[in-house]
Amino acid sequence: MDGDYVIGGVFSIHYNMQTVNYTYTTVPQPLKCRGSIDGRGLRILRAMVFAIEEINNSTKLLPGIRLGYQIYDSCASVPMAVHVAFQLSNGLDPEFYTSDNCSKSGTVMAVVGESGSTPSISISRITGAFNIPQVSHFATCACLSNKHQYPNFFRTIPSDHFQAAALAKLVKHFGWTWIGAVRSDSDYGNNGMASFLYAAHKEGICVEYSESFTRTNPRSRIQRVADVIRRSTSKTIVAFASTGDMRILLEELSREPSPPRQWIGSEDWITHPDLLIFNFCAGAIGFGIQKSVIPGLRNFLLDLSPTKVAASSILTEFWESAFNCRLEKSAATDKNVCDGTEDIQKLQSPYTDTSQLRITNMVYKAVYAIAHAIHNAVCQETNSTTQCDRISSIEPKQVLNHLKKVNFSQNGYPVSFDANGDPVATYELVNWQKSESGSIVFVTVGQYDASLPLGQEFHINRNITWVEGRTQVPVSVCTDSCPKGTHKVLQKGKPICCYDCVPCPEGEISNATDSIDCFPCPNEFWPNAEKDTCVSKAVEFLSFSEILGVILATFSVGGACLAIITATIFFRHRTSPIVRANNSELSFLLLFSLTLCFLCSLTFIGAPSEWSCMLRHTAFGITFVLCISCVLGKTMVVLMAFKATLPGSNVMKWFGPLQQRMTVLSFTFIQVLICTVWLIVSPPFPMKNFTIYKERIILECALGSAIGFWAVLGYIGLLAVFCFVLAVLARKLPDNFNEAKFITFSMLIFCAVWITFIPAYVSSPGKFTVAVEIFAILASSFGLILCIFAPKCFIILFKPEKNIKKHLMNKNQSLYYFGNV
């Protein structure tokens, strides 16, 4: 249709082109489309005509200006698209020139189209050289946003850059980390899939396979792609493909159905009604262009009289295909002549279906965007009226510049372009659901708006039906989620989504699913059995409530009671010869020190505190030195007593009771001095030991100064050895009750216990270190009291006939004499 300014249109009405054989000897035949006509493509074409007629009838937009159009069928092929682009760039056909517009430019002001990205790229490279703006309604390749290569390109449909990001977020939202990917082997499919894979990688999604194909491939190639899908382990497939390519692939899959797969579709095919025949795709989900309403369009589409149809070859082809008849002037001979009873109102066709106006609205907005650009170039607002210069000539470059600035709303739908010629990206989330009648229908279940803040772009507002009619989200993962208490270890040679779930090492936990690493618990905590949380470590010390502590405490108290009972026996028989003959004063002092030795072991039981730590070692050291000093004094008394019987010996006056007391006090004072220095310089203190056991805490007393501890033990050992040597020397002295023999045995036991104590103490872990020390104290204390006092008590209690002076003086009177002294 002619007009003051003409807009070009390029649409895919057919999806195939006749094959041309180039002999290079004859002029090739003109390029022609073949195959059946696409009802949706025809509806889109007619929407452009409707928009132009609506603008021509408007009094606000381009008043007094008449727009014309010149529309071509690209056959969805690049050769035809290039051919059409040259026709549009070369100028209008002579039939478009009239006396009214012969002064106007011969080129179109702008081009609407093409439907595919690859044909659009070809058209843009040609029309761009002439600064003719191109506004596409369906070319979504992100590559077309490059203004350096395509400066004249605009579109009313969002770029695949946004769709790819939206698809990646959709896949991530439903937890699909292991997917398959198929794409059209075209600019649309390859660039779109590349953008999706990049976005998916950032979201942590792994792709099992990525296959490309096109409808012109041999069937073997399509079969190979179908076999890859059938053999795959991923349950979700993302298809970035054109409608024509998807139809071929789905037809191949329908011949030998694959296991159930969840399809995720791009906007090109997910809202195409022709693909709803593939029932195994029920549950498919993807992003589509927003569904819209164009008032008056349906009436316009249905307003087709036989006269109008006959005037257009495209409409004629559609009419004959829809009603299976031929018009009188048609060249078709294999069909009956249409008899006039054909009613397009009753026709069920994508052409007449206006319930899903998505891409159609993109064409509608594209035409209005061009009209607004022309309006801004030739019209001026004066005194609330619009004046348009119908006579002046404008160039396409002027329209191109004004297109960059358009910003308006049409039927409530905003139209504007950013610096890349792209609109604001908004999508509907479309789900293929079965209706009550059993047919598959498109249901909008959510929205995506890229203009919203990060994290708020995606919104689902109703239930989704998944593959096979399920209501539960299908699972598509390479490996199930690792539970708490484990961490992921990647499988060699496989993507990051394929991993083994390995339990956390000892002492570490993971408190979240799919943890990459485990982390250690703090020092005072330890993992529970499931290794998913840290719990307080069990605190261990030798307590009065456990069996070992009760046993040791019982022996300790029992030993103290035994010493007290022995002292009581000696006190009651203090005038008896055997008590007097064994130096009663030192005996009572020895029994007192042994009582303290038994009782000091109780300080080792219970939770260590600052005072108990200082008390236990010092009390042990001092009481044992007091004990050994008494034994040493008794040994020296035995030796001196026998030396006193020699003629002219006055040794006893130098080792009388006073000297004995001073000897005991002197030896004890040295130990007190050692302990005092230890407590002042570096005293023992309570501490938590984390090194012996990883899973529990040992409460123990740190020595503070190891030198002080070993000095205390060393001094005790020195006295014990000295006493043992003297006792050995005196063991064969004549006397029925020679104490040196018993002292020798007691010192032998004492030394054996404490010699074995050292390696046992060093090697025993935790509370057993304390138990070993208590055992050494009790064993040596029992050794002393039993070896020294048991024989005497036995005589006193059970052999009183031997507890007489006569028996004591049988062989030597010196011991009895010294006892009297």
Side-chain angles (χ1 to χ4, degrees):
M1 186 180 76
D2 64 345
D4 298 313
Y5 300 101
V6 177
I7 301 175
V10 186
F11 303 101
S12 298
I13 312 302
H14 297 82
Y15 278 95
N16 291 290
M17 190 180 68
Q18 287 185 353
T19 304
V20 178
N21 295 320
Y22 295 96
T23 62
Y24 303 101
T25 58
T26 59
V27 177
Q29 295 181 356
L31 298 175
K32 292 183 180 180
C33 301
R34 66 178 177 86
S36 60
I37 196 168
D38 180 54
R40 188 173 75 155
L42 180 60
R43 185 183 70 221
I44 291 171
L45 179 153
R46 294 278 290 162
M48 176 179 173
V49 176
F50 169 76
I52 290 176
E53 291 189 3
E54 195 175 62
I55 293 168
N56 288 340
N57 294 327
S58 173
T59 57
K60 294 182 179 180
L61 185 61
L62 291 173
I65 301 294
R66 181 176 176 80
L67 295 180
Y69 56 83
Q70 190 172 4
I71 303 175
Y72 293 88
D73 183 3
S74 69
C75 310
S77 67
V78 172
M80 184 64 82
V82 171
H83 176 72
V84 169
F86 278 119
Q87 282 190 305
L88 293 171
S89 301
N90 286 339
L92 302 176
D93 293 335
E95 63 188 67
F96 282 83
Y97 292 98
T98 65
S99 58
D100 294 331
N101 63 7
C102 62
S103 63
K104 303 296 178 65
S105 171
T107 59
V108 294
M109 291 296 101
V111 177
V112 177
E114 211 272 344
S115 303
S117 295
T118 301
S120 292
I121 289 173
S122 302
I123 293 173
S124 180
R125 292 194 182 278
I126 296 170
T127 57
F130 301 98
N131 293 315
I132 301 174
Q134 176 186 356
V135 185
S136 176
H137 61 287
F138 209 16
T140 57
C141 179
C143 58
L144 286 164
S145 296
N146 188 336
K147 290 292 107 176
H148 293 289
Q149 294 193 43
Y150 313 103
N152 68 318
F153 186 81
F154 300 83
R155 53 184 157 199
T156 52
I157 190 171
S159 164
D160 282 338
H161 170 76
F162 301 102
Q163 182 181 198
L167 286 173
K169 290 179 181 179
L170 177 70
V171 172
K172 181 67 174 180
H173 176 79
F174 291 114
W176 299 318
T177 58
W178 186 238
I179 64 170
V182 294
R183 66 187 187 277
S184 291
D185 191 7
S186 62
D187 291 288
Y188 167 73
N190 292 329
N191 285 279
M193 183 57 72
S195 298
F196 168 76
L197 294 179
Y198 176 76
H201 178 73
K202 292 199 297 184
E203 295 287 351
I205 299 166
C206 299
V207 179
E208 181 181 9
Y209 59 88
S210 180
E211 295 291 331
S212 63
F213 66 99
T214 183
R215 60 183 177 276
T216 58
N217 287 144
R219 187 186 171 194
S220 58
R221 168 72 175 175
I222 307 299
Q223 285 178 326
R224 192 182 70 81
V225 175
D227 289 339
V228 169
I229 293 173
R230 294 185 183 104
R231 293 194 302 266
S232 65
T233 58
S234 56
K235 302 297 188 296
T236 302
I237 306 172
V238 175
F240 223 110
S242 65
T243 302
D245 293 341
M246 278 303 296
R247 182 186 291 110
I248 297 298
L249 177 61
L250 295 178
E251 286 175 353
E252 182 60 38
L253 286 171
S254 64
R255 294 187 177 95
E256 185 182 342
S258 67
R261 295 288 185 263
Q262 178 62 48
W263 289 89
I264 312 296
S266 61
E267 95 294 329
D268 192 293
W269 69 270
I270 198 66
T271 56
H272 201 292
D274 289 355
L275 300 184
L276 294 178
I277 60 174
F278 299 102
N279 292 328
F280 62 88
C281 289
I285 191 171
F287 290 107
I289 305 305
Q290 282 186 312
K291 187 168 61 174
S292 56
V293 176
I294 304 176
L297 177 61
R298 179 170 175 80
N299 293 333
F300 177 80
L301 294 175
L302 299 180
D303 185 19
L304 288 180
S305 64
T307 304
K308 290 182 179 179
V309 172
S312 170
S313 59
I314 289 290
L315 292 177
T316 298
E317 183 180 353
F318 164 71
W319 192 274
E320 292 180 344
S321 175
F323 296 107
N324 196 24
C325 64
R326 64 181 178 86
L327 297 175
E328 293 182 358
K329 296 182 180 180
S330 173
T333 59
D334 57 340
K335 297 178 181 178
N336 297 325
V337 177
C338 299
D339 56 11
T341 60
E342 298 80 19
D343 187 1
I344 197 170
Q345 300 282 349
K346 298 179 180 179
L347 181 65
Q348 298 295 325
S349 165
Y351 172 78
T352 59
D353 182 10
T354 57
S355 62
Q356 298 281 337
L357 296 181
R358 301 177 189 274
I359 307 304
T360 305
N361 192 43
M362 298 297 103
V363 174
Y364 186 75
K365 292 199 295 184
V367 174
Y368 266 90
I370 295 171
H372 274 271
I374 296 174
H375 179 94
N376 295 335
V378 301
C379 299
Q380 293 182 349
E381 303 288 338
T382 57
N383 298 327
S384 300
T385 61
T386 304
Q387 299 292 331
C388 297
D389 188 355
R390 184 170 178 268
I391 301 175
S392 64
S393 176
I394 61 172
E395 295 297 326
K397 187 173 183 179
Q398 294 175 263
V399 180
L400 175 62
N401 292 330
H402 284 285
L403 260 176
K404 299 176 182 178
K405 306 171 187 177
V406 296
N407 190 351
F408 64 95
S409 292
Q410 186 65 30
N411 294 335
Y413 304 108
V415 180
S416 63
F417 303 104
D418 61 15
N420 296 322
D422 295 325
V424 175
T426 56
Y427 297 98
E428 285 184 349
L429 186 59
V430 179
N431 185 212
W432 290 19
Q433 297 186 7
K434 282 192 175 182
S435 63
E436 294 180 357
S437 63
S439 60
I440 301 177
V441 295
F442 300 125
V443 178
T444 300
V445 294
Q447 288 83 31
Y448 180 89
D449 189 344
S451 64
L452 294 177
L454 187 66
Q456 301 179 19
E457 314 99 322
F458 190 59
H459 177 65
I460 298 177
N461 52 24
R462 63 179 297 171
N463 293 332
I464 299 174
T465 300
W466 302 104
V467 61
E468 295 187 316
R470 301 172 188 166
T471 56
Q472 294 290 331
V473 179
V475 177
S476 183
V477 295
C478 182
T479 306
D480 290 333
S481 293
C482 287
K484 297 178 181 180
T486 64
H487 66 108
K488 298 192 293 188
V489 176
L490 297 182
Q491 296 177 0
K492 187 175 181 180
K494 291 188 177 181
I496 60 172
C497 300
C498 301
Y499 46 80
D500 295 319
C501 297
V502 179
C504 288
E506 186 181 54
E508 297 184 4
I509 68 162
S510 65
N511 54 7
T513 57
D514 290 332
S515 293
I516 298 176
D517 291 308
C518 300
F519 56 90
C521 290
N523 274 343
E524 297 191 8
F525 294 86
W526 188 253
N528 59 357
E530 293 76 23
K531 294 187 176 182
D532 59 1
T533 187
C534 292
V535 296
S536 298
K537 287 182 178 179
V539 178
E540 182 180 279
F541 58 88
L542 188 60
S543 68
F544 289 101
S545 59
E546 60 180 297
I547 296 178
L548 181 59
V550 171
I551 293 174
L552 293 175
T554 302
F555 275 98
S556 175
V557 174
C561 293
L562 181 62
I564 293 172
I565 292 172
T566 303
T568 302
I569 294 173
F570 266 55
F571 182 77
R572 293 190 60 182
H573 299 84
R574 61 186 177 277
T575 58
S576 64
I578 195 168
V579 174
R580 298 184 64 192
N582 282 277
N583 198 326
S584 59
E585 184 176 341
L586 286 180
S587 295
F588 283 115
L589 187 58
L590 177 59
L591 288 170
F592 172 71
S593 65
L594 283 172
T595 303
L596 295 180
C597 287
F598 282 117
L599 294 178
C600 81
S601 62
L602 295 176
T603 63
F604 289 82
I605 305 175
S609 64
E610 187 174 350
W611 285 102
S612 68
C613 286
M614 291 189 292
L615 179 64
R616 64 172 58 172
H617 289 101
T618 53
F620 153 70
I622 293 172
T623 54
F624 257 77
V625 165
L626 178 61
C627 178
I628 298 301
S629 298
C630 293
V631 175
L632 181 61
K634 291 174 72 67
T635 306
M636 293 176 69
V637 165
V638 172
L639 284 173
M640 296 306 171
F642 280 99
K643 286 185 176 292
T645 60
L646 297 176
S649 176
N650 58 353
V651 68
M652 287 309 299
K653 74 176 183 177
W654 299 107
F655 204 75
L658 178 63
Q659 287 79 8
Q660 295 171 31
R661 299 188 195 103
M662 291 301 298
T663 300
V664 173
L665 291 176
S666 298
F667 285 136
T668 306
F669 177 74
I670 294 173
Q671 185 72 308
V672 171
L673 186 62
I674 294 172
C675 291
T676 303
V677 173
W678 182 17
L679 293 179
I680 292 174
V681 175
S682 181
F685 57 91
M687 66 167 288
K688 296 178 179 180
N689 192 324
F690 300 103
T691 58
I692 297 178
Y693 298 108
K694 295 179 180 179
E695 72 281 2
R696 58 183 185 268
I697 301 172
I698 304 299
L699 285 184
E700 62 183 16
C701 288
L703 297 177
S705 171
I707 295 175
F709 174 73
W710 292 111
V712 169
L713 284 184
Y715 183 65
I716 295 174
L718 180 66
L719 291 180
V721 170
F722 183 49
C723 183
F724 178 70
V725 171
L726 293 180
V728 169
L729 293 176
R731 72 186 188 283
K732 293 185 179 180
L733 293 177
D735 183 32
N736 284 347
F737 296 101
N738 184 0
E739 273 198 312
K741 297 178 182 178
F742 304 120
I743 292 174
T744 300
F745 282 112
S746 66
M747 286 296 100
L748 184 63
I749 294 172
F750 185 92
C751 292
V753 167
W754 286 101
I755 289 173
T756 55
F757 160 78
I758 294 175
Y761 178 85
V762 172
S763 61
S764 297
K767 63 182 180 182
F768 298 105
T769 303
V770 179
V772 166
E773 193 167 357
I774 295 174
F775 177 79
I777 293 172
L778 295 178
S780 55
S781 298
F782 275 111
L784 287 172
I785 196 172
L786 293 176
C787 288
I788 294 176
F789 292 100
K792 299 175 179 61
C793 290
F794 181 79
I795 295 290
I796 293 172
L797 297 176
F798 302 105
K799 298 288 184 177
E801 67 276 8
K802 294 183 179 181
N803 189 10
I804 57 176
K805 180 179 177 181
K806 179 181 179 181
H807 183 78
L808 294 173
M809 297 180 64
N810 277 342
K811 295 182 179 180
N812 195 297
Q813 300 180 16
S814 61
L815 189 59
Y816 182 73
Y817 164 76
F818 185 74
N820 290 331
V821 172

